[in-house]
Amino acid sequence: MIKTNKYQFWFATGSQDLYGEETLLQVAEHSRVIVAELNKSGILPFEVVLKPTLIDSASIRRCFNDANADDLCAGVITWMHTFSPAKMWILGLQEYRKPLLHLHTQFNRDIPYDTIDMDFMNLNQSAHGDREFGHIVSRMGIERKVIVGHWGDKKVQERIGSWMRTAVGVMESSHIRVLRVGDNMRDVAVTEGDKVEAEVKFGWEIDAYNITDVAEYVQAVPKGEVDALLQEYYDTYDLILDGRDPEEFKAHVREQAAIEAGFRKFVEEHDYHAVVTSFQMLSGLKQLPGLAMQRMMADGYGFGAEGDWKTAAMVRLMKIMSAGGTNGTSFMEDYTYHFEPGREAILQSHMLEVCPSIADGKPAIRVMPLSMGNREDPARLVFTTKPGRGVACSLVDLGTRFRLLINDVETLKQERAMPNLPVASALWRPEPDLATGAEAWILAGGAHHTAFSLDLSAEQMGDWGAMMGIECVFIDKDTTIRNFKNELRWNEAAFRR
Ligand code: MN
């Protein structure tokens, strides 16, 4: 379902006309080779497009404005092969509005000790030219990524690829549309927020409809369509009947198929990319959307429960950034602790809505009563989560600004069965350890809801937040409470407006 542009990244080499034509031809040839090899590496998720060498203010300005205007261009990668006086870059940079990567590399990997002369050094002087460029970008206060290293190094290529995903997240964030068919859960604080400011900062459109508008779509789904989807469920997942009559069980699952088909039709017709529900507002629906939302998330939709539009948009954003990833991304909630010394962990789950993209093995359908709300027993997918390293993110509104918390976590293999727990779950340990991680999380005002991914890194999420101009705090292996509290205190000053 994730349909994004076939994005490209422009490769803009800086130089000047002082060196003569022969040198400029060599510069262009080197850039051509680098771009060709980057594209051939198989590591970059998007294509790099070579642009003519930039040697004066007019061509630089034109290049950046063309990049702004080109719908397929998601960012510009700059590299100063030689010295490129940076006053020439001011006008273009001032007008540029897309992600910027400064690739600080050079054509040759090694110093050719035996043959190096003055001509070679004058041609290959990015160590020198890139500092001039970096100075002006810093002086102008422009957010950009800097990646240092030889372009042929796999690690460098991986970092470029990872930044490309962040850049596409920046481009796509500006038109995430969230469908709210449930307001914030009554009395809850952390899932609330300023939707106008979110549109100003992130570009998110967050619209409310009556749940009855969608319920009409659910009721109008043709019987044949519901039956076909029901059959797909039965073909795809295991069933855990829990002693229920198979036909009665099937009737409950069938209801989720109708809900899924109705919701899909509604969001497709109205062009939404994320859905927010509330178990307190279900007029016209017989069940809380469970299995239905789980399957929509697996297809790339964002989701937030209890009116949580911030997390819904973050899940959608992270689905876009991790598109093609194999480990999964989901809405999640901190639920309960395991405090056994040496094996501390947090059990993550939700009432129903955990995305099966993170499932360890084949999910199964169960039908159980909800512990909250007043609807009939909803069908849901149950599973445990793949072990691995992931990132849990919480976007909170502090009243005067947004703060993004980014926590490195390790999901653990779930060794012990939990036969009486009728929901999907993950068991994870936050970095640097449960006690420090949770203490930092609470001090920073992080929510119980998170957007979680096994395919993205803290660096990618932090780069996205930096591009959005919001406060990002990392909780990772280097976190100590004393430093973390100071960081929060300093951020109060840095983000004053
Ligand atoms: Mn919740």
Side-chain angles (χ1 to χ4, degrees), residues 210-249:
N210 287 323
I211 182 71
T212 47
D213 296 337
V214 179
E216 284 171 19
Y217 276 62
V218 171
Q219 285 143 21
V221 179
K223 184 176 177 302
E225 223 175 286
V226 180
D227 288 339
L229 193 51
L230 182 64
Q231 190 57 48
E232 185 184 329
Y233 292 176
Y234 273 59
D235 291 343
T236 311
Y237 309 113
D238 291 333
L239 306 176
I240 300 174
L241 292 177
D242 294 301
R244 296 180 95 109
D245 171 73
E247 287 308 311
E248 185 260 1
F249 179 92

Side-chain angles (χ1 to χ4, degrees), residues 305-306 331 333 350 448-449:
E306 292 105 42
F331 173 73
E333 178 170 281
H350 204 260
H448 52 282
H449 284 171

Side-chain angles (χ1 to χ4, degrees), residues 259-483:
I259 293 171
E260 178 183 342
F263 258 97
R264 278 188 192 266
K265 208 159 281 182
F266 192 92
V267 297
E268 280 164 20
E269 275 180 22
H270 296 77
D271 192 26
Y272 286 100
H273 317 119
V275 177
V276 169
T277 60
S278 167
F279 69 89
Q280 291 173 327
M281 295 159 217
L282 290 175
S283 300
L285 293 187
K286 292 183 187 153
Q287 298 178 12
L288 175 65
L291 206 164
M293 287 304 122
Q294 293 178 289
R295 283 175 49 90
M296 285 180 71
M297 252 192 286
D299 262 1
Y301 285 98
F303 175 79
E306 292 105 42
D308 187 350
W309 52 267
K310 296 198 299 299
T311 309
M314 286 303 298
V315 170
R316 168 64 180 176
L317 171 75
M318 290 165 72
K319 291 274 186 190
I320 292 167
M321 287 173 61
S322 64
T326 51
N327 297 312
T329 297
S330 181
F331 173 73
M332 201 54 101
E333 178 170 281
D334 293 290
Y335 239 112
T336 204
Y337 286 121
H338 186 71
F339 275 137
E340 181 191 351
R343 311 185 99 172
E344 296 88 346
I346 315 174
L347 188 66
Q348 305 285 326
S349 189
H350 204 260
M351 284 165 76
L352 305 173
E353 313 91 333
V354 181
C355 179
S357 64
I358 61 173
D360 189 12
K362 190 178 182 181
I365 302 176
R366 286 180 85 170
V367 174
M368 284 285 189
L370 269 190
S371 50
M372 283 182 267
N374 58 355
R375 287 295 185 278
E376 69 172 42
D377 302 354
R380 78 291 304 271
L381 291 173
V382 298
F383 51 85
T384 59
T385 298
K386 293 167 202 150
R389 305 205 56 92
V391 64
C393 299
S394 169
L395 182 68
V396 293
D397 185 338
L398 296 177
T400 51
R401 68 177 186 278
F402 290 107
R403 169 181 286 161
L404 181 63
L405 280 80
I406 304 166
N407 194 177
D408 287 334
V409 301
E410 182 176 5
T411 52
L412 309 171
K413 182 88 187 162
Q414 280 164 264
E415 312 279 3
R416 303 270 301 271
M418 296 178 286
N420 295 324
L421 190 70
V423 284
S425 65
L427 188 68
W428 79 43
R429 187 172 302 133
E431 294 283 359
D433 53 71
L434 189 146
T436 313
E439 182 176 348
W441 189 272
I442 284 169
L443 287 171
H448 52 282
H449 284 171
T450 54
F452 163 69
S453 179
L454 283 165
D455 285 316
L456 295 171
S457 67
E459 181 179 356
Q460 286 173 305
M461 296 314 301
D463 286 347
W464 175 82
M467 282 294 298
M468 295 293 129
I470 60 165
E471 179 193 1
C472 298
V473 292
F474 297 91
I475 304 171
D476 59 21
K477 63 178 176 35
D478 298 324
T479 298
T480 64
I481 294 302
R482 188 191 297 172
N483 289 343

Side-chain angles (χ1 to χ4, degrees), residues 124-315:
N124 299 287
Q125 54 167 310
S126 37
H128 175 110
D130 269 333
R131 281 173 163 75
E132 166 78 357
F133 177 76
H135 166 75
I136 201 65
V137 184
S138 288
R139 173 162 172 167
M140 292 172 75
I142 294 170
E143 188 59 46
R144 86 291 204 186
K145 183 75 175 172
V146 180
I147 295 178
V148 181
H150 191 252
W151 52 271
D153 181 346
K154 193 164 167 267
K155 282 204 191 75
V156 170
Q157 295 174 348
E158 282 168 354
R159 291 192 73 201
I160 297 171
S162 146
W163 171 81
M164 283 176 159
R165 291 184 172 280
T166 304
V168 166
V170 170
M171 299 301 295
E172 291 284 326
S173 178
S174 68
H175 45 272
I176 288 177
R177 288 167 44 84
V178 182
L179 167 71
R180 292 169 66 232
V181 288
D183 198 357
N184 193 67
M185 185 177 165
R186 289 186 275 279
D187 292 327
V188 174
V190 78
T191 46
E192 276 285 16
D194 183 339
K195 296 190 283 293
V196 178
E197 194 59 19
E199 185 151 357
V200 172
K201 274 273 183 295
F202 311 119
W204 299 343
E205 288 177 55
I206 302 132
D207 297 331
Y209 287 77
N210 287 323
I211 182 71
T212 47
D213 296 337
V214 179
E216 284 171 19
Y217 276 62
V218 171
Q219 285 143 21
V221 179
K223 184 176 177 302
E225 223 175 286
V226 180
D227 288 339
L229 193 51
L230 182 64
Q231 190 57 48
E232 185 184 329
Y233 292 176
Y234 273 59
D235 291 343
T236 311
Y237 309 113
D238 291 333
L239 306 176
I240 300 174
L241 292 177
D242 294 301
R244 296 180 95 109
D245 171 73
E247 287 308 311
E248 185 260 1
F249 179 92
K250 192 180 244 185
H252 284 264
V253 182
R254 196 173 191 287
E255 193 56 38
Q256 287 288 330
I259 293 171
E260 178 183 342
F263 258 97
R264 278 188 192 266
K265 208 159 281 182
F266 192 92
V267 297
E268 280 164 20
E269 275 180 22
H270 296 77
D271 192 26
Y272 286 100
H273 317 119
V275 177
V276 169
T277 60
S278 167
F279 69 89
Q280 291 173 327
M281 295 159 217
L282 290 175
S283 300
L285 293 187
K286 292 183 187 153
Q287 298 178 12
L288 175 65
L291 206 164
M293 287 304 122
Q294 293 178 289
R295 283 175 49 90
M296 285 180 71
M297 252 192 286
D299 262 1
Y301 285 98
F303 175 79
E306 292 105 42
D308 187 350
W309 52 267
K310 296 198 299 299
T311 309
M314 286 303 298
V315 170

